[in-house]
Amino acid sequence: MSLIYLTLTAVLLGSAVVAQALPVKVYETGRAFRGTDAQPIVVIPSTGTQYFYVNGYKVGGRPWADAVFKEVSAAGTKYLSRTYNCAKATWRNLGEGPSLSTMSLSIGDLRAVADQKVPTRGVTHALAKFACGL
């Protein structure tokens, strides 16, 4: 197992934009991880929304991570499936839904699964950092 820290730099319309990759553990072979409901990994104090890690998978030899999170809020419970390219600091939405069995059926538009940059702060960043650090 090795820990990789990468920095990516891009130039956009003449101004420098720096996108820093997330710290990631890379394993020789694929590895599955299981979460717990005992401790939320992210809490939004203003709304009381909590995010829990359910399960995930790290692709062997690559800086990629798949993860399923559970969001618990006043509106109810929702499951989120995401995949992360930790070296490029990007993520894809693989599905959302009120249960694990329905979340994979929730993508109605292929644009919804396009790569998106991980922001430098917020819930999306915290979930990506957690998944990449497993």
Side-chain angles (χ1 to χ4, degrees):
M1 159 175 64
S2 62
L3 191 58
I4 297 174
Y5 292 90
L6 300 173
T7 302
L8 305 174
T9 305
V11 176
L12 180 63
L13 300 174
S15 63
V17 177
V18 177
Q20 188 170 7
L22 300 161
V24 60
K25 293 180 185 174
V26 177
Y27 300 95
E28 294 295 319
T29 60
R31 208 174 238 195
F33 298 91
R34 194 141 184 86
T36 176
D37 281 348
Q39 180 75 28
I41 57 171
V42 178
V43 177
I44 303 173
S46 60
T47 63
T49 302
Q50 298 180 340
Y51 293 84
F52 298 88
Y53 174 72
V54 177
N55 62 48
Y57 183 78
K58 297 291 285 276
V59 177
R62 297 183 180 206
W64 298 343
D66 295 333
V68 175
F69 299 99
K70 180 170 77 170
E71 176 188 280
V72 179
S73 69
T77 298
K78 178 169 59 173
Y79 289 86
L80 317 167
S81 180
R82 307 284 188 257
T83 189
Y84 300 95
N85 182 330
C86 305
K88 292 184 178 180
T90 59
W91 68 282
R92 288 184 185 181
N93 178 14
L94 299 181
E96 295 181 4
S99 69
L100 290 171
S101 61
T102 60
M103 76 176 164
S104 63
L105 304 174
S106 66
I107 300 297
D109 183 351
L110 288 179
R111 289 177 291 197
V113 295
D115 282 348
Q116 300 176 56
K117 278 296 200 188
V118 173
T120 56
R121 64 180 80 161
V123 172
T124 300
H125 180 264
L127 297 179
K129 188 175 178 182
F130 184 88
C132 290
L134 289 173

